[in-house]
Amino acid sequence: MILFPATPEQKARIGTPIVPRNKADPTQSGRQVSRMFNDIETRYLDVKRRLKVLFDQRLTGRQRESNGERSWLMCNNDGAEPSLYQVNAGTYIYDMTAAQLADLLQVVQTILDDVLLDGGSQNLWALDYVAAEYDRGTLNAFTNLSVQSPVYASQTTLQQLLSSAAYQNQIASAYISTYSDWKGISDTARADLANIIADSIGRGINPSETASIVSKRLDVSMAKAKNIAQTEQVGALRQAQWNETDWAVDRLGLNTGLLHLSALKPTTRPTHAFWHGKVRTVREVRDWYAVDGNKYHCYCSQIPVLLNDDGSIFNEGLADKLAKERQLWSSAK
């Protein structure tokens, strides 16, 4: 693809990239992520309520006399740090056969799948959140490039982007990835709870304490689910911006790149703040997010920008401003 250098007249007409005012949330995804978090909390509460009913029905038996000893139950979860729970040791005898335990665990899996995989692979509840962010990322990229390039503005419409085959393919890809993520969350929670329930029955831990341990492990699962949800939503927005940056090159031959905007929070990783105000190619950004866990817990944004022949952005004042912000953050660390 041949990139056409801007003429002096075109350079004079190139607008300034739109940089979000909220420095702590450059993707502007805070509200959207919060809404999905609320949905996740509601779903996990539903799981807990349904499991309580199940345990009240199935976890039956009798208490036996004990010397009051207490022991520790260790639970692990998909490579995470093990959690220790102090429990009454061997004080309860369950009226449950191996077949009944297997049936109980099957119902647990059904509950998790019903709630966390609600809608199935074709209409998973989480897909609406991810698709909405992809749409918003496409709109942001369209708006930003339209402001900067009269050529782009005159030859591109938002409807054209949203109805394109490339756009539809990316949405389908996002759906597959999102469903895979949530299937993994449900499967991991099922395996973890199966281990806890079987171990509790084998050790004679009473139903009340078993339910409490299960509830705490679900809290761990929920925290991981929120992390994945944030990654999915912000990732979809970024992906849309990256794609339109690339497609603008393919369609119009524009010389574009991605301007990195870091959140510059106290918790921001130095490797993320390092790129604040700097420009990279789409390929470089994709590769960067594919390693070292960069995509997780990341609030950075990359916006499409038109570039000079040397790869710099046209607005030197903006470049200087962002460089100073990066320096101030580094000095405060």
Side-chain angles (χ1 to χ4, degrees), residues 15-323:
T16 301
I18 302 172
V19 176
R21 293 182 179 180
N22 187 346
K23 302 300 181 182
D25 184 23
T27 64
Q28 303 174 84
S29 297
R31 292 181 181 177
Q32 292 82 351
V33 171
S34 292
R35 281 198 290 268
M36 192 171 184
F37 279 7
N38 290 337
D39 198 340
I40 290 171
E41 290 171 2
T42 299
R43 289 178 182 278
Y44 271 88
L45 180 59
D46 186 24
V47 170
K48 290 183 179 182
R49 287 171 174 167
R50 292 172 66 172
L51 287 181
K52 182 180 185 305
V53 173
L54 176 67
F55 292 165
D56 288 345
Q57 294 172 344
R58 303 285 188 94
L59 293 184
T60 60
R62 66 185 186 278
Q63 196 82 25
R64 72 178 178 186
E65 293 185 7
S66 120
N67 58 9
E69 284 185 34
R70 297 184 71 82
S71 64
W72 294 90
L73 175 63
M74 177 179 291
C75 300
N76 217 327
N77 184 35
D78 191 28
E81 288 293 324
S83 300
L84 291 172
Y85 300 102
Q86 192 178 41
V87 298
N88 288 316
T91 62
Y92 200 86
I93 301 174
Y94 284 88
D95 297 328
M96 183 171 290
T97 65
Q100 289 172 328
L101 173 59
D103 183 61
L104 171 66
L105 297 181
Q106 181 60 47
V107 177
V108 170
Q109 179 176 357
T110 298
I111 291 173
L112 288 168
D113 286 348
D114 282 350
V115 177
L116 300 183
L117 300 180
D118 179 24
S121 60
Q122 299 302 311
N123 195 31
L124 182 71
W125 65 273
L127 298 179
D128 287 343
Y129 293 99
V130 175
E133 285 303 274
Y134 196 94
D135 285 351
R136 195 166 65 84
T138 301
L139 172 60
N140 288 352
F142 168 78
T143 303
N144 223 325
L145 286 171
S146 295
V147 166
Q148 296 175 70
S149 170
V151 173
Y152 181 93
S154 65
Q155 299 189 34
T156 308
T157 67
L158 183 60
Q159 184 58 39
Q160 169 194 350
L161 298 182
L162 298 180
S163 61
S164 69
Y167 173 86
Q168 297 302 326
N169 288 338
Q170 286 298 320
I171 288 291
S173 176
Y175 279 10
I176 293 172
S177 176
T178 300
Y179 182 78
S180 178
D181 286 341
W182 283 92
K183 185 69 167 63
I185 291 171
S186 182
D187 288 348
T188 299
R190 175 197 55 76
D192 194 31
L193 297 191
N195 174 61
I196 291 171
I197 294 168
D199 205 27
S200 294
I201 291 173
R203 293 184 182 218
I205 299 168
N206 70 60
S208 177
E209 291 189 78
T210 298
S212 177
I213 296 168
V214 165
S215 178
K216 291 175 182 176
R217 293 309 297 174
L218 283 171
D219 288 342
V220 173
S221 176
M222 181 172 67
K224 292 187 174 182
K226 286 182 175 181
N227 181 27
I228 288 177
Q230 188 268 344
T231 301
E232 287 174 342
Q233 286 183 279
V234 179
L237 180 136
R238 292 195 196 101
Q239 192 73 239
Q241 302 236 51
W242 303 344
N243 288 339
E244 184 52 23
T245 302
D246 261 348
W247 295 339
V249 176
D250 294 339
R251 292 195 315 270
L252 305 172
L254 299 179
N255 187 10
T256 61
L258 290 172
L259 177 64
H260 187 105
L261 301 173
S262 178
L264 299 182
K265 299 181 179 184
T267 55
T268 295
R269 283 163 279 187
T271 50
H272 288 226
F274 170 81
W275 291 106
H276 183 71
K278 298 181 181 180
V279 176
R280 286 179 287 176
T281 66
V282 174
R283 177 64 179 274
E284 288 170 338
V285 172
R286 289 187 193 278
D287 290 346
W288 185 73
Y289 271 107
V291 299
D292 301 330
N294 284 322
K295 68 178 181 178
Y296 298 108
H297 298 291
C298 177
Y299 296 85
C300 301
S301 179
Q302 295 85 36
I303 62 174
V305 291
L306 265 63
L307 304 176
N308 290 303
D309 297 340
D310 63 359
S312 63
I313 64 175
F314 284 91
N315 191 307
E316 295 180 1
L318 176 60
D320 292 341
K321 176 184 176 183
L322 296 175

